[in-house]
C-alpha cells in the first residue's frame, strides 16, 4: 500500500451515497424497508396461499354454513352481512403477522443489517408498518374481487373506499404487531401474545354480528376495540350500496354511539388513524431506545 | 486532513463500557487506547468474554461507550454516528442475510439503505459479486447457499458502499479450511486494489498472521499490541537447529563465540536465541565447522496468545461453544 493512496478524510473518495436532505433520506430508507416486505411476500408462495385460503373459508364455509341457521330477518343473506367483517378479519391476521415479522428479522439476524445502516430507527419501523400494510391490503384484494358472489355490486367507488378502509385497518394492525416486536424478542413469546390480542379483537369488532342489542359489558368492550371502527364503516359502505329499507339498515347496522353521541363514519376512521399514528410513534420510540 | 498527515482509520482513547451488574457494574471494556492506520489490516484477538465484541460494537456505533472517545474514518462514533456508518462495512459473526431474497436482492437492499444512486449500485454490485466469485449465483435465493457462500456474500455486501473501514467479526468461524483460505484471498485481493482498512477478530491464529498489526485483549484491556513479528520475537526465543560435520566442535564454538549453551537433540545441534534470523549469519562466519543445514523455528502466535492471556485460544473456543449469545439488539 503506497502512501499516496492514503485514505484521509479529504483526499480519499467520499462514500458513494448522495448527500440528501435528512427527510428525503429517511423517506427513501422507509421505502427501501417497505419494498423488502413486498419482495419477501412475492417469494413466499406458501404464505400467499395460506393467507388467501383463510378468508375464503370464512366467507364460503362459515358464511354458508351459518347462513342456514342464521336468519338476518330480511332479504339480506348472512353471507352478505358477514362479508365486510370477513374482509377486516382477513387483514387482521395477515397484517398482525407481518408486523411481528420484526421478531423473525431479529432472530435470523437480518435486523442487524438494518440497525447498523445509516438510517434512523424510525424509518425501519415506518418501513415495516407500511410494507406489512401494503402486503395485507394486497392479499385482501383477492377477497374483495369476490364481492359479486355475495350479492354486492361491483361499484368502483365502493371498491376503492373499501380498499382504503382495509389499508387503514392493515396499517393499524401491522403497527400493533411491530409495537409488540419491539418489546417481545422471541418468536415463542410473540406468537401467543399476538393470538391473545387479535382473536378477541376479531370477535369483539362486530365482524360476525350487529352491534345492536348487546349486553352492556359487550357493548362497552366493542366500543373500546379499535377494529370496530374499521368493520363498522365498511359495513356501512356495503349496506349503502344495497337496496335495503331504512329500518333494515338500522337493524343490521345500529348507530355506533359514544355516550349517546352517534359517531359519524369519518370520525370512526379518524379514530383508527390517530390510534395507528400513536402506535407507530410509540414503536419508533421504544425501538430507538434499545441498544 | 488538510496538512497531508494521514489520519488514522480508527483512533480510540480511554474507551470504557460497563453494564449494570448485581452488586457493582460489570466493566466489559476498561479504558482501551487503540490506533489503526489507514490501509492496515488489524487483527483483534482475545479469549471469549475479553470484551472484543463489545469494543467492535462501540466502534460500529451499535453501542454507546460509557466513557472515552472513538473516531472511525475520521468521525466520532457517538456524535457523528451516521457519518461513521456511511463509511464502515460490517460482517458479523452471526449471519445477517435475508435468506428469502436472492443474492442480488440482498446487495440491492444494502445499496439502497446506504443511498447509492442506481447506476453506481449496479456497478458496485457487479464488482463485489465478481470479487467473491458469486456472479453466476446472483439470482439464486440465499437459502440455497452453503455456509461459505453466505459468508462470501456477506463480505461482498459489506463492500458494496465502498467503505473505508471494513469490520469483520470472526469472518471464518465454522468454515472449512479451503473456504477460510479463499476468504483471506479475497481480503488480500481487496487490500491490493483499494486503500481499505480491515479490522478483524478471529479465533484462528494462523489467520492472525495475515494482519499488519495485532492487538490482544483480555479482561477488558489490550494486553499487548504490535506486528505479528514483533509480538512473536517479543515473547522470547527462536529455536535454531543445525546439521554439522562435527557437532562437538560446533557446540564448543557456539559456547565461546555466542555465549549460548547448545545441545544435541534428534541428531541436530539446537540452541535457543532471541532473534534466530540474525544469529544464522554469525554461525556461518564464526563457527569453523562445515554447516550442512540450518532451520530456525520461530514462536507462533499461539505462543504469544498463551503468554499474554494464560490460555490457548482453543481453550477459549471451547468456552464459546457453550455460550449462547444473543447477537442482535
Amino acid at each position: 500500500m503506497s502512501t499516496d493512496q492514503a485514505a484521509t478524510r479529504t483526499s480519499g473518495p467520499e462514500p458513494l451515497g448522495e448527500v440528501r436532505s435528512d427527510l428525503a433520506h429517511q423517506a427513501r430508507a422507509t421505502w427501501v424497508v417497505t419494498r423488502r416486505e413486498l419482495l419477501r411476500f412475492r417469494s413466499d408462495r406458501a404464505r400467499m396461499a395460506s393467507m388467501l385460503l383463510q378468508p375464503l373459508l370464512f366467507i364460503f364455509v362459515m358464511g354458508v354454513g351459518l347462513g342456514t341457521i342464521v336468519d338476518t330477518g330480511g332479504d339480506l343473506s348472512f353471507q352478505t352481512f358477514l362479508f365486510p367483517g370477513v374482509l377486516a378479519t382477513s387483514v387482521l391476521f395477515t397484517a398482525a403477522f407481518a408486523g411481528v415479522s420484526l421478531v423473525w428479522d431479529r432472530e435470523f439476524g437480518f435486523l442487524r443489517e438494518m440497525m447498523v445502516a445509516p438510517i434512523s430507527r424510525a424509518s425501519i419501523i415506518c418501513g415495516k408498518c407500511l410494507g406489512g400494510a401494503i402486503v395485507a391490503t394486497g392479499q385482501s384484494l383477492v377477497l374483495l374481487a369476490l364481492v359479486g358472489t355475495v350479492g354486492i355490486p361491483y361499484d368502483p367507488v365502493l371498491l376503492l373506499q373499501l380498499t382504503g378502509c382495509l389499508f387503514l385497518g392493515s396499517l393499524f394492525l401491522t403497527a400493533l404487531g411491530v409495537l409488540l416486536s419491539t418489546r417481545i424478542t422471541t418468536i415463542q413469546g410473540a406468537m401467543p401474545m399476538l393470538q391473545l390480542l387479535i382473536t378477541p379483537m376479531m370477535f369483539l369488532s362486530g365482524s360476525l354480528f350487529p352491534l345492536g342489542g348487546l349486553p352492556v359489558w359487550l357493548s362497552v368492550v366493542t366500543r373500546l376495540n379499535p377494529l370496530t371502527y374499521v368493520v363498522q364503516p365498511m359495513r356501512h359502505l356495503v349496506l349503502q350500496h344495497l337496496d335495503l329499507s331504512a329500518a333494515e339498515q338500522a337493524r343490521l347496522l345500529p348507530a355506533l354511539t359514544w355516550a349517546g353521541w352517534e359517531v359519524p363514519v369519518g370520525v370512526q376512521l379518524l379514530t383508527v388513524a390517530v390510534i395507528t399514528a400513536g402506535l407507530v410513534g410509540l414503536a419508533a420510540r421504544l425501538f430507538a431506545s434499545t441498544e | 486532513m488538510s496538512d497531508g498527515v494521514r489520519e488514522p482509520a480508527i483512533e480510540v482513547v480511554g474507551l470504557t463500557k460497563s453494564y449494570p451488574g448485581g452488586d457493582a457494574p460489570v466493566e466489559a471494556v476498561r479504558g482501551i487506547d487503540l490506533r489503526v492506520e489507514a490501509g492496515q489490516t488489524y487483527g483483534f484477538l482475545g479469549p471469549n468474554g475479553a470484551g472484543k465484541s463489545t469494543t467492535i460494537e462501540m466502534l460500529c456505533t451499535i453501542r454507546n461507550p460509557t466513557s472515552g472517545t472513538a473516531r472511525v474514518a475520521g468521525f466520532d462514533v457517538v456524535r457523528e454516528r451516521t457519518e461513521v456508518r456511511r463509511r464502515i462495512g460490517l460482517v458479523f459473526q452471526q449471519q445477517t442475510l435475508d435468506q428469502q431474497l436472492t443474492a442480488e436482492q440482498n446487495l440491492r437492499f444494502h445499496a439502497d439503505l446506504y443511498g447509492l444512486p442506481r447506476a453506481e449500485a449496479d456497478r458496485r454490485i457487479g464488482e463485489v459479486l465478481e470479487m467473491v466469485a458469486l456472479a453466476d449465483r446472483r439470482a439464486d435465493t440465499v437459502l440455497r447457499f452453503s455456509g461459505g457462500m453466505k459468508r462470501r456474500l456477506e463480505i461482498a455486501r459489506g463492500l458494496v458502499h465502498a467503505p473505508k473501514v471494513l469490520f469483520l467479526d470472526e469472518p471464518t468461524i465454522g468454515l472449512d479450511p479451503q473456504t477460510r483460505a479463499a476468504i483471506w484471498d479475497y481480503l488480500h485481493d481487496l487490500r491490493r486494489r483499494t486503500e481499505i482498512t480491515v479490522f478483524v477478530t478471529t479465533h484462528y491464529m494462523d489467520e492472525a498472521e495475515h494482519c499488519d498489526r495485532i492487538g490482544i485483549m483480555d479482561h477488558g484491556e489490550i494486553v499487548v499490541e504490535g506486528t505479528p513479528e514483533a509480538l512473536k520475537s517479543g515473547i522470547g526465543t527462536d529455536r535454531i537447529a543445525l546439521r554439522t560435520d562435527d557437532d562437538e566442535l560446533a557446540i564448543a564454538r557456539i559456547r565461546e563465540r555466542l555465549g549460548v549453551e547448545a545441545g544435541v537433540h534428534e541428531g541436530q545441534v539446537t540452541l535457543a536465541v532471541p532473534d534466530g534470523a540474525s544469529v544464522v549469519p554469525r554461525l556461518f562466519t564464526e563457527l569453523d565447522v562445515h554447516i550442512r543445514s540450518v532451520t530456525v523455528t520461530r514462536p507462533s502466535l499461539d505462543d504469544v496468545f498463551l503468554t499474554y492471556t494464560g490460555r490457548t485460544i482453543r481453550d477459549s473456543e471451547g468456552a464459546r461453544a457453550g455460550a449462547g449469545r444473543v447477537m442482535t439488539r
Side-chain angles (χ1 to χ4, degrees):
Chain A
M1 185 93 7
S2 63
T3 6
D4 56 357
Q5 281 182 315
T8 66
R9 187 153 142 194
T10 45
S11 66
E14 275 304 291
L16 296 169
E18 296 162 88
V19 180
R20 292 157 179 260
S21 76
D22 192 52
L23 196 67
H25 181 70
Q26 299 307 344
R28 180 182 156 147
T30 299
W31 176 237
V32 171
V33 176
T34 302
R35 221 176 46 214
R36 166 170 172 263
E37 296 299 313
L38 308 186
L39 277 176
R40 277 172 70 86
F41 180 68
R42 209 174 62 182
S43 66
D44 193 349
R45 302 259 148 71
R47 185 166 139 221
M48 220 186 262
S50 77
M51 292 295 191
L52 290 179
L53 190 65
Q54 196 179 27
L56 292 180
L57 285 174
F58 265 107
I59 189 70
F60 290 109
V61 179
M62 197 168 146
V64 174
L66 285 179
T68 58
I69 52 158
V70 177
D71 187 3
T72 59
D75 300 331
L76 194 72
S77 80
F78 183 64
Q79 263 182 297
T80 313
F81 171 81
L82 196 62
F83 195 79
V86 170
L87 273 177
T89 305
S90 76
V91 298
L92 179 69
F93 287 96
T94 49
F97 281 101
V100 169
S101 73
L102 189 63
V103 177
W104 292 84
D105 287 343
R106 187 184 284 117
E107 202 127 305
F108 287 102
F110 191 77
L111 183 60
R112 209 161 227 232
E113 155 80 351
M114 295 190 271
M115 297 282 263
V116 297
I119 60 171
S120 71
R121 302 246 167 121
S123 54
I124 298 175
I125 293 295
C126 292
K128 287 297 286 189
C129 290
L130 204 56
I134 293 173
V135 167
T137 310
Q139 283 174 290
S140 68
L141 289 185
V142 177
L143 199 56
L144 198 58
L146 299 173
V147 283
T149 62
V150 294
I152 300 169
Y154 285 102
D155 179 335
V157 178
L158 173 66
L159 294 181
L160 216 61
Q161 287 170 327
L162 288 176
T163 307
C165 291
L166 285 170
F167 180 74
L168 182 64
S170 300
L171 201 57
F172 158 67
L173 291 156
T174 314
L176 192 67
V178 167
L179 178 64
L180 267 182
S181 317
T182 61
R183 275 295 167 264
I184 300 172
T185 51
T186 64
I187 294 161
Q188 291 92 328
M191 285 305 161
M193 190 72 194
L194 195 65
Q195 292 288 0
L196 205 65
L197 264 175
I198 62 178
T199 314
M201 277 178 87
M202 173 181 101
F203 285 110
L204 298 172
S205 64
S207 59
L208 306 175
F209 48 80
L211 289 181
L214 297 177
V216 176
W217 71 270
L218 197 51
S219 133
V220 169
V221 175
T222 49
R223 272 156 188 76
L224 291 175
N225 178 3
L227 198 65
T228 302
Y229 306 105
V230 179
V231 173
Q232 296 308 306
M234 290 210 297
R235 184 160 291 147
H236 172 86
L237 289 167
V238 167
L239 295 185
Q240 265 191 337
H241 281 78
L242 301 172
D243 291 323
L244 295 175
S245 64
E248 192 162 2
Q249 276 230 28
R251 195 169 49 77
L252 293 171
L253 187 70
L256 191 63
T257 54
W258 287 343
W261 178 56
E262 194 175 315
V263 187
V265 169
V267 174
Q268 294 184 27
L269 292 172
L270 189 68
T271 306
V272 181
V274 169
I275 292 172
T276 302
L279 291 179
V280 174
L282 184 61
R285 260 183 86 117
L286 289 177
F287 195 56
S289 67
T290 53
E291 263 211 338
Chain B
M1 291 197 152
S2 53
D3 57 4
V5 176
R6 199 208 274 222
E7 192 177 21
I10 300 172
E11 194 174 24
V12 171
V13 180
L15 198 66
T16 70
K17 178 73 186 181
S18 45
Y19 298 104
D23 302 324
V26 179
E27 282 190 293
V29 178
R30 306 166 178 230
I32 60 168
D33 298 326
L34 186 67
R35 187 183 163 97
V36 180
E37 301 300 335
Q40 278 195 338
T41 295
Y42 191 91
F44 200 49
L45 315 177
N48 194 29
K52 284 177 304 176
S53 288
T54 306
T55 304
I56 224 172
E57 283 171 353
M58 287 191 283
L59 295 181
C60 297
T61 76
I62 298 169
R63 282 176 197 285
N64 283 331
T66 306
S67 67
T69 60
R71 293 178 78 78
V72 173
F75 294 93
D76 187 279
V77 296
V78 178
R79 279 178 291 114
E80 297 161 308
R81 172 176 294 207
T82 306
E83 294 305 315
V84 171
R85 288 181 173 197
R86 284 157 61 91
R87 288 164 179 80
I88 60 175
L90 300 171
V91 178
F92 299 109
Q93 195 172 329
Q94 189 208 29
Q95 204 253 111
T96 63
L97 294 164
D98 187 331
Q99 309 219 30
Q100 276 189 35
L101 300 185
T102 66
E104 186 175 354
Q105 284 170 338
N106 268 284
L107 299 184
R108 179 78 58 193
F109 180 81
H110 185 86
D112 288 342
L113 278 187
Y114 284 74
L116 266 66
R118 178 87 194 186
E120 193 71 54
D122 286 344
R123 190 178 63 77
R124 289 291 304 172
I125 288 169
E127 273 177 24
V128 294
L129 280 173
E130 204 69 53
M131 187 192 128
V132 298
L134 285 174
D136 55 333
R137 305 295 300 269
R138 65 194 295 160
D140 287 6
T141 307
V142 174
L143 205 57
R144 287 194 243 277
F145 281 16
S146 68
M149 288 164 70
K150 286 179 190 165
R151 206 11 72 103
R152 273 147 61 196
L153 182 61
E154 289 192 288
I155 292 174
R157 185 180 62 182
L159 294 169
V160 162
H161 58 290
K164 293 193 169 184
V165 184
L166 180 64
F167 288 93
L168 302 153
D169 193 8
E170 301 282 357
T172 55
I173 203 160
L175 300 180
D176 60 86
Q178 286 103 315
T179 311
R180 281 172 50 198
I183 283 174
W184 277 100
D185 284 345
Y186 301 135
L187 294 177
H188 285 307
D189 182 42
L190 183 70
R191 287 166 69 199
R192 267 194 301 278
R193 291 190 306 180
T194 67
E195 61 202 23
I196 196 163
T197 308
V198 177
F199 190 93
V200 58
T201 70
T202 178
H203 261 67
Y204 299 106
M205 285 296 134
D206 54 322
E207 294 185 350
E209 298 276 1
H210 293 283
C211 302
D212 297 314
R213 286 182 80 80
I214 289 172
I216 296 180
M217 191 166 189
D218 197 17
H219 302 302
E221 288 167 339
I222 292 179
V223 289
V224 69
E225 218 243 0
T227 64
E229 287 311 303
L231 291 184
K232 283 183 289 186
S233 59
I235 61 154
T237 56
D238 295 343
R239 201 168 65 99
I240 302 179
L242 305 170
R243 286 183 197 281
T244 68
D245 285 348
D246 187 343
D247 289 351
E248 291 298 312
L249 184 61
I251 290 170
R253 289 283 180 272
I254 290 168
R255 189 182 303 123
E256 286 162 30
R257 308 276 162 83
L258 302 175
V260 175
E261 202 59 50
V264 179
H265 296 286
E266 294 167 20
Q268 298 187 81
V269 176
T270 59
L271 60 151
V273 290
D275 182 8
S278 69
V279 171
V280 171
R282 289 180 65 196
L283 293 174
F284 283 96
T285 55
E286 298 186 25
L287 270 59
D288 38 14
V289 179
H290 179 64
I291 296 170
R292 283 179 284 142
S293 75
V294 180
T295 44
V296 178
T297 315
R298 317 221 52 191
S300 66
L301 280 174
D302 279 307
D303 299 328
V304 174
F305 192 88
L306 180 64
T307 305
Y308 287 103
T309 67
R311 279 160 283 184
T312 68
I313 196 110
R314 255 159 290 284
D315 293 339
S316 58
E317 204 167 0
R320 166 179 299 267
R325 295 172 57 194
V326 181
M327 285 298 294
T328 312
R329 261 164 261 260

